Every structure is written in C-alpha cells, then in structure tokens.
Amino acid sequence: MKRIKVQRTIVAKMLKHNLMKMLVVGLIWESTIGHFSRGEKTEFESASVPECSSVDSSHYSVNGDDNLGYSKINRKKSSMDVWNLTSQKLLESFPLDPIGENYVRQVRDCIFSAVQPTPFKSAVKLVAVSKEVVEDLLDLDVSITDTKEFIQFVSGASVLPGSVPLTHRYGGHQFGVWAGQLGDGRAHLLGVYVNRHGTRWELQLKGSGKTPYSRDGDGRAVLRSSVREFLCSEALNYLGIPTSRAASLVVSNDVVKRDQFYNGDVKNEKGAIVLRVAKSWFRFGSLEILAQSGETELLRKLVVFVIKQHFPMINATSSNRYLDFFSQVVTDTSYLIAHWMSVGFAHGVCNTDNFSILSVTIDYGPFGFMDFYDPNFVPNTSDDEGRYKIGNQANVGRYNLDKLRKALNPLLDPKQQLLAEQILKGYPDLYQIKFMEFFKAKLGLFGHDNNDDYLIAYLLKLMEDTRADFTMTFRHLSEITQQQLEVNSISEEYWALQDLARHQKFSHWVNLYLLRLKRNTMDSDEARRIRMKSANPRYIFRNWMAESAIKKSEKNDFSEVHLLQKTLHHPFNKQREAEEAGYSSRPPPWARELRVSCSS
Ligand SMILES: *[C@@H]1O[C@H](CO)[C@@H](O)[C@H](O)[C@H]1NC(C)=O
Ligand SMILES: *[C@@H]1O[C@H](CO)[C@@H](O)[C@H](O)[C@H]1NC(C)=O
Ligand SMILES: *[C@@H]1O[C@H](CO)[C@@H](O)[C@H](O)[C@H]1NC(C)=O
Ligand SMILES: *[C@@H]1O[C@H](CO)[C@@H](O)[C@H](O)[C@H]1NC(C)=O
C-alpha cells in the first residue's frame, strides 16, 4: 500500500511541477562515476525498500497465515499420495489452446497449451535438492526426496492427479528486436501448490521435452546449465534477492547434443531437469504477445488475473488498476536491478521474455557475478555489443518497462497512457534511491549526507582503476577495523583492499570514509562491522566455482555442487570448508579466461 502511495505522489508531483526539472537525473547508471545527481531527492526518501519477496511472507501472499489458522502446525507431508498440485484455477481462468497434439506451431487466442513432459529414456539420478524449498515452500518432508515417486515426479515421468502440465505462450523483445512468438520451449508448468501459509507456488520443470514453442530446440537442458541455474537461483535467494527457487536437480544418461560455444564443436552432453518454483512464471512478454496480436480481451483477462493473484494491494475493480499495476512493476523492477548491482550480478539475457511480471530473477542462462569491478562486464561472451553488460542493466530495465507500458496501452484511456509515461519517467529516481540505499548499507552508513553519492562513486572508481575484487573489497571493509584503516595497516588477509590501496587516491578516500563514519550517530566500530558483514557477502557464486563444480559433475562427482549449495546458503557467514576450497580467496588465474557457455 505504502509503495503505491509513494508512486502516486511522484506522478502527481511530476504533473504539477516542471517535468524536465524532475528528469535531469538522467542516465546515472550508465557509467560508474560523475553522473550521480544531487538534491531534489528528499521528497522520495520515504520510499521504503520492499522486504525481500523471495521468502514466504512477502506481499504476494494470497492469504496471511493467520487467516488459515494453522501457521504453527507442522504439516509436512511424507508421502506424495497426500500431496496435491492443481492446474484448475489457471484452466478456469484462461482459454486453452484447442490443439492437443505436440508439434511446433504458431498459437493464438490462448495463454497455455496442454503438453505432457517427455520422460528420459535412461535412468535418472537425483543430484541435489533444496531442503528449504521442499519443506518450507512445498510442505513436503525432505525424506520424500529419496522415494521413487518423487524422482519420477521431478523428472517429468509421472504426472500427479490434479495436474495438467501446461506450456505458456509468450513473446518478447530479444536484443532490442520484437521476436514474435517465443513461449516455453522446454519447460512445463506442472501446476500450482498452495502451501500452509496460503502462498501459491507454481512448479515448473525445465528441460522436460519439446512443446509447441520449441522452435528449433530439442526441449532439453544439459547438466552444466542446470547446475548453474539450480545453484544460482538458490544463491540469489540467500543473498536476499527476489528470485525463482530451485527444488531439485536430476540428471539422466540421455544424450543431448550441444554446440556449446556455437563454433561447430558439437558434444554429447547429459540431459538434466530442474524443478523450479516461482509465485508466477508470467513475463513481460506474456502481455506483449497479446497486445502485438490484438488479443485485447485476453490481455485484460491476464492482467486482471495477475493483479488479483499477485498484487492484493491493488484495487482490482478500480479504473486505475492497470496504472497501479504498472507503477508497482516499475518500482519492483528498479529495486530488483539495484539489488543485482549491489552484489555484482549480471543476468546476461535481459530480454523482455526473461523479465518476470513479479520482478523476481528468472531464466538463469549466461549470467555471471563479476570478480574484479568492471562496469563493462559482459557475462555472455557472444554478446559482442555488450548490450547486457552489467553497467547497462538499469537502462535495459527501463527499455523493458517501456515495452510493458506499450503492451498495456490497449487497456488504458488516452489520459492514463500519458500517466503511464510519467510513471516510467520516475524510474531513474526510484532506481537511484534504491541503489544508494544498498551501497550506503554496504559501507555501513547511517542517515544522510550530501556527499554520500560522491563517496560511493569515488570508491567504485578506485575499484575500477585497480580492478579490485568487487565482493571482497566490500567484505574486507566490513572486516577490517577503523583503526587498521587509519594507520593503513592492511594485511594479506585483506587482499582485495591491498589491491585497492595501490591507488594513489586510496588514502584520500579512506580519510573521507572515516570522517563519514564518525558522523554515524550511536555507532561503534564493532557494531559497524557486524552490520556490514550482514550486507556484504563473503561468498558469491563465481563463474570459476560453477565451472569447477560442473567439471566434476560431468564425471558424476557432485561433491562440489553440494559444497557450493551449503556455502551459498549462508553467504554472509565465514565457513571453514568454503575457506579451504578458496571461495573467498583471490580467483584463480584461469578464472579470467573463462567463457560462459551459451547454448544451454
Ligand atoms: C487434492 O485436491 C482436491 C481438489 O483440489 C481435493 O478435493 C483433495 O482433498 C486434495 N487431496 C489432498 C490429499 O489434499
Ligand atoms: C475499489 O474501486 C471501486 C471502483 O472505483 C470502488 O467502488 C471501491 O470502493 C474501491 N475499493 C476500495 C477498497 O478502495
Ligand atoms: C531468455 O530469452 C531468450 C529469448 O529472448 C531465450 O532464448 C532464453 O532461453 C531465455 N533464457 C535464458 C536463460 O537465456
Ligand atoms: C548471447 O549473445 C548473443 C549475441 O547477441 C545472442 O545471440 C545469444 O542468444 C546470447 N546468448 C543467450 C544464451 O541468450
């Protein structure tokens, strides 16, 4: 409620005041330094950062626990027989593709096509499960994951009663161009599970076979990309970033042919399936395709459905509902991207079909966390133009939101269409406010100082010049004492800070930082370090770690997958095994030459 009100005020203010004056903020995110604007922000300072929506209690919850009255009762199910999925509501709400056969085609006038997953031909092995997803989100006792029924379920070999597997028709703008119909080319929505908190989770298999939307694809996913998705979606969750979750990862011996780097070197790989869980899998592209093909009534139906299911704070009968919805997505998307930036995460393929309507991270492909700080970091090595480089993500977010705005236009009257444009113009401010909040927390700063943006930009510039490690610079600043900083006593243990300290301006920046810390009221150095350690992870899912775990996995050794899973579950806590594995050490030299696999 609060956030919507804030957004409305912004719109109202924009209409009242000289618009241009409000928009001078410009493209602050385009490079690291020098573009941070000052002033005119105070009226927005009350915009609260939404709480992490990746945990059960977020604002997307359909019902509060208390409404259902059994929040304290442990209702974990230990047999699949007493556990239920349903596709009923989706089927009742939307027309289904009338064609039942599974062949690639253009589809119209529907949201879903019903398609069964294709089971693997060979034996399937369970590689990993997320106990938290299985128990806390899905109410299943984790012991169930040892059963044949569970493995069959998560590998698409058996479909539960009540479940009608669906594949979703969507479109999207890829790399700046309208791509027409895309859709779930290798994913099956098994159904919805409403858990004991009343939260609705949509379960989706990825890698489960061909669909009407497979285009040229074979409907499969390989082990390496599935390991990456499984580990990274869970890692982002424990960093507090809204994301889809991963319940399980299975691998088969079915051969899947992939030309990993699109260089003609086709290899036999193993097919794998991740069971992914999200509150909704609708994307910006879900709306775009309906607008593009003139299916306005279906578009309205879908948006109203989404509002009712996922935006309970919006009055679904109000004439401003579509605007309120857009406003919320603008806010949530700016927050998500600022959050990515705060941990150095680059999604890699920010096409409109990979942007969730609930602004959670989805579709993990050639993503990457940057090691040394570089705003030009591009995780997808085939993205030569660097369209989706890390420093361009906020821009691309606005581009995508603009496509969403256009998709909503058929539902808006001319006045509302103008208002939607104004709402989008508030995006740079929303983004910058959130970006600043995250980075102030990363530096342990309280309150407001006019020079905070400068202090942050200055540090990023030093990091860029010295190629200091992004994650560990902030972490080491969280661990080192003010006294050590003051006397410039930086031991080997703080290797990222040692790198940074090579910059001739380092001590100047340190002086500014120490002065600013003195302005924190009611603070102690110990309290600062504790606070900063909970804002700056010690472990992130670096590409070299993924590569190392994948190499072993391809030889049936999943030990490093499990170690990473365990480590990334507590990214802010120092852990012995993780230290021994070098997860907080300087990345190995070969990490710099790593290319992220593109064909997944
Ligand atoms: C499964 O769902 C159906 C209808 O949605 C319901 O009637 C039935 O009781 C459920 N079974 C269990 C075990 O929850
Ligand atoms: C929702 O909007 C409708 C139509 O404008 C209005 O009659 C109703 O009072 C609103 N409900 C709430 C809770 O504000
Ligand atoms: C992202 O979008 C593109 C199409 O726009 C699609 O091919 C791809 O599978 C999506 N996901 C990832 C992880 O790249
Ligand atoms: C990486 O970028 C290239 C070039 O723009 C693009 O064709 C390719 O689809 C991207 N990779 C993925 C997985 O989306």
Side-chain angles (χ1 to χ4, degrees):
M1 269 310 201
K2 191 170 170 208
R3 276 184 293 151
I4 293 197
K5 265 193 215 124
V6 170
Q7 185 78 70
R8 284 228 184 90
T9 344
I10 292 175
V11 176
K13 282 213 168 94
M14 286 185 156
L15 293 180
K16 256 194 243 144
H17 295 85
N18 177 350
L19 253 178
M20 290 317 293
K21 207 174 148 201
M22 305 284 295
L23 298 175
V24 287
V25 187
L27 308 176
I28 49 104
W29 50 78
E30 265 186 348
S31 84
T32 47
I33 193 163
H35 299 280
F36 287 85
S37 71
R38 310 223 172 150
E40 297 222 78
K41 288 280 159 7
T42 32
E43 66 250 50
F44 304 141
E45 221 91 286
S46 61
S48 63
V49 173
E51 75 261 35
C52 162
S53 62
S54 57
V55 285
D56 235 356
S57 59
S58 85
H59 62 287
Y60 299 123
S61 199
V62 179
N63 295 300
D65 298 1
D66 297 339
N67 296 347
L68 295 179
Y70 43 70
S71 56
K72 301 230 158 44
I73 304 170
N74 185 345
R75 299 193 349 139
K76 278 179 213 144
K77 314 251 166 71
S78 48
S79 156
M80 296 297 286
D81 299 339
V82 295
W83 189 78
N84 240 350
L85 272 184
T86 173
S87 310
Q88 198 182 343
K89 182 138 199 174
L90 293 171
L91 289 171
E92 282 169 4
S93 303
F94 304 113
L96 192 65
D97 179 2
I99 300 178
E101 290 101 290
N102 187 5
Y103 61 92
V104 174
R105 59 181 179 268
Q106 287 293 309
V107 176
R108 268 196 67 93
D109 303 315
C110 70
I111 306 284
F112 295 107
S113 304
V115 185
Q116 296 290 319
T118 310
F120 289 121
K121 296 192 188 75
S122 59
V124 171
K125 181 181 162 55
L126 184 70
V127 171
V129 288
S130 163
K131 181 170 184 280
E132 296 68 33
V133 173
V134 168
E135 297 205 327
D136 302 344
L137 272 42
L138 303 181
D139 303 337
L140 289 168
D141 194 294
V142 76
S143 64
I144 217 171
T145 60
D146 293 330
T147 63
K148 196 172 154 224
E149 288 72 30
F150 181 82
I151 310 249
Q152 286 192 325
F153 168 63
V154 300
S155 60
S158 72
V159 168
L160 299 181
S163 154
V164 178
L166 299 172
T167 55
H168 175 38
R169 167 188 176 229
Y170 56 81
H173 279 83
Q174 299 183 310
F175 296 90
V177 180
W178 172 246
Q181 177 180 302
L182 299 164
D184 291 331
R186 50 177 169 171
H188 294 80
L189 177 59
L190 294 176
V192 179
Y193 180 73
V194 181
N195 75 10
R196 63 194 186 283
H197 303 292
T199 310
R200 185 183 177 283
W201 291 104
E202 295 187 356
L203 280 73
Q204 192 188 65
L205 297 178
K206 179 171 176 183
S208 38
K210 283 194 191 178
T211 78
Y213 309 97
S214 292
R215 291 174 284 158
D216 300 328
D218 59 13
R220 291 302 184 194
V222 295
L223 181 59
R224 65 183 149 76
S225 64
S226 306
V227 164
R228 282 169 53 87
E229 168 144 10
F230 180 88
L231 288 174
C232 197
S233 56
E234 288 299 283
L236 252 60
N237 176 66
Y238 293 113
L239 288 169
I241 299 180
T243 175
S244 62
R245 303 289 302 270
S248 64
L249 164 60
V250 293
V251 66
S252 70
N253 280 315
D254 281 29
V255 172
V256 176
K257 293 191 182 300
R258 285 289 181 274
D259 180 357
Q260 190 177 342
F261 296 107
Y262 304 121
N263 61 3
D265 183 12
V266 178
K267 289 220 168 79
N268 287 345
E269 301 194 43
K270 285 178 184 170
I273 294 180
V274 173
L275 174 62
R276 325 191 281 185
V277 175
K279 290 186 176 128
S280 168
W281 288 100
F282 288 130
R283 301 134 191 280
F284 288 13
S286 306
L287 275 51
E288 280 181 284
I289 195 157
L290 302 174
Q292 291 269 352
S293 57
E295 296 167 56
T296 309
E297 277 322 299
L298 195 47
L299 173 66
R300 187 187 310 279
K301 227 179 213 173
L302 178 56
V303 179
V304 170
F305 178 89
V306 168
I307 291 173
K308 283 189 177 156
Q309 289 289 324
H310 303 289
F311 296 83
M313 67 294 250
I314 294 176
N315 181 345
T317 53
S318 146
S319 58
N320 274 328
R321 58 192 171 174
Y322 307 120
L323 269 187
D324 290 346
F325 164 72
F326 181 60
S327 173
Q328 191 66 44
V329 181
V330 169
T331 305
D332 292 349
T333 299
S334 67
Y335 167 72
L336 177 68
I337 297 177
H339 216 155
W340 286 350
M341 298 302 286
S342 75
V343 296
F345 177 78
H347 178 283
V349 203
C350 298
N351 293 332
T352 55
D353 56 309
N354 293 333
F355 259 46
S356 148
I357 211 79
L358 300 189
S359 307
V360 302
T361 315
I362 55 167
D363 281 348
Y364 290 81
F367 63 82
F369 284 89
M370 61 183 165
D371 290 329
F372 62 88
Y373 179 73
D374 176 11
N376 292 315
F377 171 66
V378 184
N380 167 9
T381 39
S382 322
D383 182 3
D384 302 324
E385 289 171 37
R387 179 182 174 85
Y388 297 140
K389 66 183 179 189
I390 195 161
N392 202 31
Q393 292 192 121
N395 254 331
V396 166
R398 185 175 58 177
Y399 173 92
N400 289 350
L401 286 164
D402 194 46
K403 298 301 173 197
L404 180 67
R405 179 187 68 75
K406 291 200 172 99
L408 288 169
N409 263 346
L411 308 182
L412 305 176
D413 66 30
K415 200 171 138 227
Q416 289 175 325
Q417 293 186 4
L418 280 177
L419 281 167
E421 284 178 32
Q422 310 307 347
I423 288 171
L424 186 55
K425 284 176 180 160
Y427 170 84
D429 271 2
L430 290 170
Y431 174 78
Q432 193 190 4
I433 289 165
K434 277 155 191 166
F435 181 94
M436 287 298 295
E437 277 178 20
F438 284 126
F439 278 81
K440 277 170 69 177
K442 285 173 83 68
L443 285 178
L445 307 181
F446 282 157
H448 173 78
D449 186 291
N450 279 339
N451 291 319
D452 284 345
D453 46 7
Y454 178 70
L455 188 71
I456 291 164
Y458 194 165
L459 173 62
L460 292 176
K461 175 72 176 139
L462 298 191
M463 288 167 66
E464 186 178 353
D465 287 352
T466 52
R467 304 185 116 205
D469 190 88
F470 177 75
T471 304
M472 293 313 283
T473 297
F474 281 104
R475 181 67 186 196
H476 290 159
L477 283 173
S478 322
E479 293 174 350
I480 200 166
T481 63
Q482 286 189 52
Q483 150 104 67
Q484 285 169 311
L485 269 179
E486 247 163 51
V487 299
N488 203 8
S489 150
I490 301 170
S491 60
E492 183 57 36
E493 175 190 356
Y494 305 122
W495 54 268
L497 278 187
Q498 283 188 335
D499 288 352
L500 193 73
R502 288 200 199 101
H503 204 289
Q504 54 170 3
K505 297 262 192 229
F506 176 72
S507 53
H508 182 237
W509 181 82
V510 166
N511 287 340
L512 294 178
Y513 181 47
L514 292 173
L515 277 174
R516 176 62 178 86
L517 285 179
K518 289 208 171 71
R519 256 169 264 144
N520 275 351
T521 45
M522 307 282 287
D523 201 11
S524 71
D525 197 42
E526 201 190 343
R528 170 193 69 88
R529 284 183 291 138
I530 290 171
R531 194 165 70 239
M532 282 175 66
K533 277 189 271 192
S534 67
N536 294 301
R538 191 164 170 93
Y539 312 109
I540 50 159
F541 187 41
R542 297 175 191 260
N543 274 334
W544 74 265
M545 300 177 190
E547 196 63 20
S548 169
I550 288 165
K551 283 237 168 75
K552 289 177 191 156
S553 296
E554 284 173 343
K555 295 178 191 135
N556 275 319
D557 169 4
F558 302 108
S559 56
E560 192 157 14
V561 171
H562 299 141
L563 177 59
L564 280 168
Q565 193 186 356
K566 198 170 143 196
T567 302
L568 298 169
H569 191 163
H570 302 284
F572 302 101
N573 300 349
K574 192 167 176 178
Q575 299 159 53
R576 191 181 48 81
E577 277 177 288
E579 293 299 308
E580 284 166 10
Y583 293 162
S584 68
S585 309
R586 193 183 287 284
W590 58 269
R592 294 203 176 196
E593 268 92 67
L594 257 188
R595 295 192 304 150
V596 177
S597 350
C598 284
S599 93
S600 58

